[in-house]
């Protein structure tokens, strides 16, 4: 039985007991009153009989039955026994008072317990709220930490991704399966599409570079034909003219050999130029060593055109490079400089190589008075040339620039210089930096 | 009297070869890699026949021929297929590689004279 039913039952008992006590009190009062006749006393009997004995203990029920019987016999007989009945009624009254007190006590108890329960529930509900808040906080912290970790992980992965280097895209991985996975997959998809786009761009770039090379090969053809013509002319006529004169022919073998080497060098240059790409070998070389070789190759031209070429070089200047390519670039700049001043009254070319701000600086300066701005802008474009058709193909500078770029270097025209000056900058070789 | 021949080409190798091949008792070959040198030489003593390359730095074969005028017969040698319109030249030789046979026939013709 729950507390509420118990409480209700107790309340009902209290009501019953009150009525019973009132009836009993009336009975006692009438019995004690000598003037009260049997009929008056008998009227209380009907009240007692109307009383339905309920939730009473057995003893009390027996007392009530006994008193009913006694009252009935008292009013129906002439026997005295009035005092005896009064005694019984008094005993019943005491019993009822006792029972009433007990029941009230019990009801209070139930009431108290109910109150306690309500209190407990209220307390429980307060505690529950606290717990709920606590759990919410915990789960929020957990979610924050978990989500934060995942988002940070994604961020870190994205930081590794270099948009210019598609090979880094694959470092972005999806390593779990939950709601964030969708986001990660979206990123991955984005990167995949970006990689494809970059690959296509790279492919197009490589193709257009190759196309430019092929186009310039066409441009080169006339010049190359002329270049190869001369050695071939020598070889052809040497064979024709001296083959019948063994002694003279022997002398001419050197000339023929030189002519063959010259033609071979041009062909090798063309081959190197036309190759789309190959293994790039990087070695650390001193700029001075490269220039000593360059000087041998450019000396003939320098003498022929009466243009002295001075080379001033710091032996500390080291670069990591494809030696032949860099040599080609330096030769190109010196040749250009010689061509630029060969018709001028003042003829000189000076090369200055030095180290500045962890960079190797190479300056090609000639007696010229700078380059007009409109020409300077176009200077590094393929096929741009100021030389007459056939003598310059306009590829020297654009190819040189390409090689310099590949070496992580830069090129500019020093506009502040009173003379014409091309300045090349290369990163200092790491070996040289370690030693410094 | 030997034939005085000038050979002008900015290629030293070709000049050297020309001299080696055609310089003899009958033909005196003088080579120049700079047409200006050839011009000053010509002003001093003249020449009987001049072979000149078209494409040279500083001055091209046609410009050189203009300065000589009709004081000497000039044969233009060129590897280029574009031919100058000038009629100043005795002959324009543009065969590839060098038109040695024609050069030799021109030399032979002048030696007879």
């Amino acid at each position: 039985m729950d507390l509420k039913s118990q409480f209700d039952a107790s309340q009902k008992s209290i009501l019953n007991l009150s009525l019973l006590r009132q009836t009993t009190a009336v009975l006692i009062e009438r019995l004690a009153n000598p003037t009260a006749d049997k009929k008056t006393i008998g009227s209380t009997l009907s009240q007692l009989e109307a009383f339905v004995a309920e939730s009473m203990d057995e003893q009390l029920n027996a007392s009530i039955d006994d008193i009913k019987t006694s009252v009935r016999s008292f009013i129906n007989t002439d026997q005295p026994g009035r005092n005896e009945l009064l005694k019984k009624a008094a005993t019943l009254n005491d019993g009822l008072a006792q029972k009433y007190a007990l029941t009230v006590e019990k009801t209070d108890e139930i009431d108290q317990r109910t109150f306690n329960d309500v209190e407990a529930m209220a307390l429980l509900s307060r505690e529950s709220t606290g717990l709920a808040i606590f759990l919410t906080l915990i789960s929020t912290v957990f979610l924050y930490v978990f989500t934060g970790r995942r988002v940070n992980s994604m961020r870190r992965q994205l930081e590794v991704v270099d948009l210019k280097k598609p090979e880094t895209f694959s470092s972005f991985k999806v390593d779990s399966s939950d709601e964030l996975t969708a986001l990660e997959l979206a990123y991955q998809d984005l990167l995949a599409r970006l990689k494809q786009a970059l690959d296509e761009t790279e492919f197009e770039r490589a193709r257009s570079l190759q196309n430019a090379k092929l186009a310039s090969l066409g441009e080169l053809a006339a010049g190359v034909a002329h270049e190869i013509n001369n050695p071939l002319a020598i070889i052809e006529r040497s064979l024709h003219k001296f083959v019948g004169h063994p002694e003279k022919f022997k002398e001419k073998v050197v000339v023929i050999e030189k002519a063959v080497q010259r033609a071979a060098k041009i062909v090798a240059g063309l081959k190197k130029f036309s190759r789309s790409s190959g293994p790039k070998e990087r070695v650390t070389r001193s700029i001075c060593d490269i220039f000593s070789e360059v000087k041998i190759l450019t000396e003939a031209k320098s003498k022929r055109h009466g243009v002295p070429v001075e080379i001033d070089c710091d032996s500390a200047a080291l670069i990591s490079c494809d030696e032949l390519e860099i040599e080609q670039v330096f030769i190109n700049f010196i040749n250009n400089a010689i061509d630029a001043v060969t018709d001028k009254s003042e003829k000189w070319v000076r090369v200055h190589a030095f180290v500045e701000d962890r960079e190797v600086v190479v300056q090609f300066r000639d007696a010229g008075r700078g380059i007009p701005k409109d020409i300077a802008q176009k200077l590094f474009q393929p096929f741009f040339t100021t030389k007459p058709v056939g003598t310059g193909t306009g590829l020297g500078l654009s190819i040189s620039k390409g090689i310099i770029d590949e070496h992580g270097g830069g090129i500019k025209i020093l506009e502040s210089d009173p003379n014409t000056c091309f300045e090349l900058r290369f990163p200092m070789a790491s070996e040289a930096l370690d030693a410094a | 009297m030997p034939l005085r021949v000038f050979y002008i080409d900015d290629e030293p190798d070709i000049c050297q070869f020309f001299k080696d091949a055609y310089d003899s008792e009958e033909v005196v070959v003088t080579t120049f890699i700079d047409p200006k040198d050839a011009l000053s030489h010509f002003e001093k003593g003249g020449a009987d026949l001049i072979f000149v390359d078209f494409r040279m730095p500083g001055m091209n074969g046609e410009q050189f021929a203009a300065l000589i005028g009709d004081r000497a017969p000039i044969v233009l040698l060129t590897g280029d297929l574009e031919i100058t319109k000038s009629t100043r030249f005795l002959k324009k030789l543009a065969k590839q590689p060098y038109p040695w046979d024609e050069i030799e026939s021109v030399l032979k013709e002048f030696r007879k004279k």
Side-chain angles (χ1 to χ4, degrees), chain B residues 1-95:
Chain B
M1 181 124 175
L3 187 71
R4 293 169 303 159
V5 174
F6 277 15
Y7 184 84
I8 309 155
D9 194 320
D10 64 323
E11 289 284 346
D13 290 349
I14 293 286
C15 288
Q16 187 60 48
F17 177 80
F18 193 94
K19 197 173 169 67
D20 288 351
Y22 303 110
D23 194 50
S24 65
E25 286 176 8
E26 294 160 340
V27 179
V28 177
V29 174
T30 315
T31 62
F32 302 92
I33 56 169
D34 189 337
K36 285 173 201 153
D37 293 344
L39 197 64
S40 61
H41 248 82
F42 182 81
E43 302 297 347
K44 282 175 203 158
D48 300 320
L49 178 63
I50 300 172
F51 291 94
V52 64
D53 185 28
F54 178 68
R55 198 170 296 288
M56 292 178 294
M59 186 191 295
N60 69 29
E62 190 167 16
Q63 288 166 333
F64 177 82
L67 292 168
I68 298 294
D70 49 14
R71 290 182 284 169
I74 301 174
V75 177
L76 180 74
L77 303 165
T78 176
D80 296 309
L81 297 173
E82 48 181 304
I83 300 299
T84 169
K85 284 192 181 103
S86 170
T87 53
R88 216 186 293 282
F89 300 104
L90 171 74
K91 269 195 164 116
K92 287 173 266 183
L93 308 176
K95 266 194 191 164

Side-chain angles (χ1 to χ4, degrees), chain A residues 1-14 54-55 103 106-111 113-115 117:
Chain A
M1 201 192 279
D2 64 15
L3 280 173
K4 189 171 184 325
S5 314
Q6 281 181 43
F7 185 77
D8 288 348
S10 292
Q11 291 280 60
K12 204 170 174 185
S13 295
I14 288 168
E54 206 180 358
S55 0
T103 308
K106 194 182 158 198
T107 309
D108 282 351
E109 196 190 319
I110 290 165
D111 195 25
R113 271 169 60 195
T114 310
F115 176 76
D117 274 11

